[in-house]
């Protein structure tokens, strides 16, 4: 981990104090007074035991400093993970509320369908064919509001993919989906939702930063037996710096959020990697 200047100064305090202490001891260990050599230990015999104890305390202090710093780093990483998880939970909860509202609207529409049929029957019996046509047109418009243009096979991913499609249309970005929710019951919709949501959000941000060129987002999925692959493609502008250890891009947001680059990987892709590893999977990022 890259050390900040302030943190490096903290770690150097104990060794520097030890060096100064040893320098002082050496200077007063032997003194010449009126052609007589005076040894410090002869005047102060207790120092024979005190000096080694102080030296040992310096060593212990160095070890304690390193241990405390490592613990502090661990707590910071745990805090960041907790923050990320809370953000993801909040995002998924919002999606679930949208799904519930969507299906609640469908339930209301089914309940009202009987009344609609009664009204249409009345218009038909009265011979008001023009009014009946207008009534049916209004029903079509009402039902279109509850229809997803993209169906993935799962309510959670339906909401996420269609929501991202609407966001891309507002920005003039082409969106194409060939994503289908996995047939296997081994996968949790919550986990798949986190992966799809973060991948599409990352792609949307990359396209949003492009000032020119063909902007598009393409998401697809393939399943072969128990193997499930999710793929997202999108263009970008600028340079991608990859972290050799995590094989993830280092986000430009890190320097703004944490004061130095390299302190934390891009939140979205880190979450994707974490969720994939829950299923013994991995993330492969390729730049062309």
């Amino acid at each position: 981990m890259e050390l900040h200047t302030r943190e490096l100064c903290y770690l150097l305090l104990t060794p520097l104090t030890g060096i100064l202490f040893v320098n002082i001891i050496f200077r007063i260990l032997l003194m010449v007074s009126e052609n007589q050599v005076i040894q410090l230990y002869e005047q102060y015999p207790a120092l024979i035991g005190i000096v080694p104890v102080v030296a040992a305390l310096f060593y212990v202090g160095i070890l304690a400093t390193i241990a405390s710093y490592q613990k502090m780093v661990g707590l910071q990483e745990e805090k960041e993970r907790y923050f990320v998880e809370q953000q993801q939970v909040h995002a998924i909860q919002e999606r679930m509320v949208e799904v519930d509202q969507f299906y609640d609207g469908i339930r209301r529409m089914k309940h009202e369908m009987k009344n609609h049929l009664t009204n249409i029957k009345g218009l038909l019996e009265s011979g008001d064919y023009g009014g009946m046509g207008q009534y049916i047109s209004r029903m079509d418009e009402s039902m279109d509001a509850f229809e997803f243009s993209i169906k993935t096979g799962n309510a959670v991913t339906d909401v996420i993919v269609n929501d991202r499609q609407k966001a891309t249309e507002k920005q003039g970005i082409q969106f194409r989906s060939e994503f289908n929710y996995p047939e296997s019951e081994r996968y949790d919709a919550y986990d798949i939702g986190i992966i799809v949501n973060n991948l599409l959000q990352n792609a949307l941000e990359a396209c949003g930063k492009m000032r020119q060129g063909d902007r598009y987002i393409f998401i697809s999925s393939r399943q072969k037996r128990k193997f499930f692959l999710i793929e997202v493609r999108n263009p970008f502008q600028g340079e991608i710096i990859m972290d050799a250890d995590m094989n993830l891009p280092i986000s430009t947001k890190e320097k703004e959020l944490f004061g130095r680059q390299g302190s934390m990987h891009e939140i979205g892709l880190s979450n994707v990697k974490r969720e994939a590893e829950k299923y013994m999977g991995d993330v492969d990022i390729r730049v062309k």
Side-chain angles (χ1 to χ4, degrees):
M1 181 177 180
E2 182 182 356
L3 290 178
H4 195 263
T5 304
R6 183 177 63 254
E7 297 164 345
L8 186 61
C9 292
Y10 290 158
L11 290 175
L12 289 176
L13 280 178
T14 303
L16 287 175
T17 306
I19 292 172
L20 291 175
F21 175 76
V22 171
N23 194 301
I24 292 172
I25 292 296
F26 274 127
R27 288 180 180 273
I28 65 176
L29 190 61
L30 293 176
M31 299 182 64
V32 179
S33 177
E34 297 179 359
N35 297 326
Q36 290 184 354
V37 178
I38 301 174
Q39 294 187 8
L40 184 64
Y41 290 145
E42 290 180 353
Q43 287 189 338
Y44 305 100
L47 291 178
I48 297 176
I50 293 176
V51 171
V53 170
V54 173
L57 289 176
F58 277 121
Y59 280 110
V60 173
I62 294 173
L63 294 176
T65 303
I66 295 174
S68 300
Y69 180 73
Q70 290 177 343
K71 185 177 181 180
M72 179 182 68
V73 171
L75 291 174
Q76 179 65 22
E77 292 176 350
E78 184 177 350
K79 180 181 178 182
E80 292 170 355
R81 286 195 299 270
Y82 176 77
F83 170 77
V84 169
E85 291 173 358
Q86 288 298 310
Q87 291 295 317
Q88 293 304 316
V89 168
H90 181 67
I92 291 297
Q93 285 176 343
E94 289 181 346
R95 300 298 178 204
M96 294 305 296
V97 169
E98 293 175 2
V99 171
D100 185 65
Q101 292 175 349
F102 172 78
Y103 283 109
D104 183 62
I106 292 179
R107 287 191 293 268
R108 291 198 307 269
M109 179 65 70
K110 289 180 178 179
H111 179 73
E112 295 172 358
M113 188 58 66
K114 186 176 180 179
N115 295 330
H116 289 317
L117 292 175
T118 301
N119 295 335
I120 291 174
K121 185 178 179 181
L123 291 171
L124 179 63
E125 292 176 350
S126 64
D128 188 2
Y129 300 109
M132 185 175 64
Q134 293 178 0
Y135 193 90
I136 294 175
S137 298
R138 291 182 60 185
M139 284 181 60
D140 287 338
E141 294 176 359
S142 300
M143 294 180 69
D144 287 342
F146 299 101
E147 185 68 24
F148 281 143
S149 59
I150 300 175
K151 296 182 179 180
T152 65
N154 181 271
V156 175
T157 50
D158 277 353
V159 173
I160 293 173
V161 173
N162 282 273
D163 181 65
R164 290 294 175 265
Q165 182 197 32
K166 293 178 182 177
T168 56
E169 290 176 350
K170 291 180 180 179
Q171 299 185 31
I173 302 171
Q174 298 179 5
F175 187 90
R176 187 161 64 95
S177 172
E178 294 180 5
F179 174 83
N180 292 303
Y181 191 83
E183 298 176 359
S184 174
E185 297 180 355
R186 295 173 56 249
Y187 299 101
D188 189 335
Y190 175 84
D191 299 330
I192 300 297
I194 288 178
I195 292 174
V196 172
N197 183 63
N198 281 291
L199 289 177
L200 292 180
Q201 182 62 30
N202 187 73
L204 185 61
E205 291 179 0
C207 290
K209 295 177 181 177
M210 293 180 61
R211 298 181 179 178
Q212 58 185 0
D214 185 20
R215 302 192 302 169
Y216 65 89
I217 297 176
F218 173 59
I219 179 171
S220 64
S221 64
R222 296 195 298 272
Q223 185 168 6
K224 186 175 182 180
R225 297 180 182 177
K226 295 184 179 181
F227 180 79
F228 184 61
L229 173 68
I230 302 174
E231 182 178 10
V232 173
R233 295 186 182 186
N234 63 273
F236 70 95
Q237 285 182 346
E239 182 181 0
I240 300 295
I241 303 175
M242 300 293 292
D243 184 279
D245 296 329
M246 297 290 291
N247 194 30
L248 292 176
I250 298 176
S251 173
T252 54
K253 302 176 186 175
E254 293 171 6
K255 192 171 183 181
E256 301 173 4
L257 293 175
F258 300 97
R260 62 182 185 276
Q261 188 172 351
S263 61
M264 183 180 179
H265 297 287
E266 186 167 5
I267 291 177
L269 294 179
S270 298
N271 288 336
V272 172
K273 186 176 182 66
R274 185 185 70 246
E275 295 299 328
E277 289 174 347
K278 289 173 61 175
Y279 297 91
M280 295 180 289
D282 201 359
V283 176
D284 181 21
I285 298 176
R286 301 183 183 183
V287 179
K288 295 184 180 179

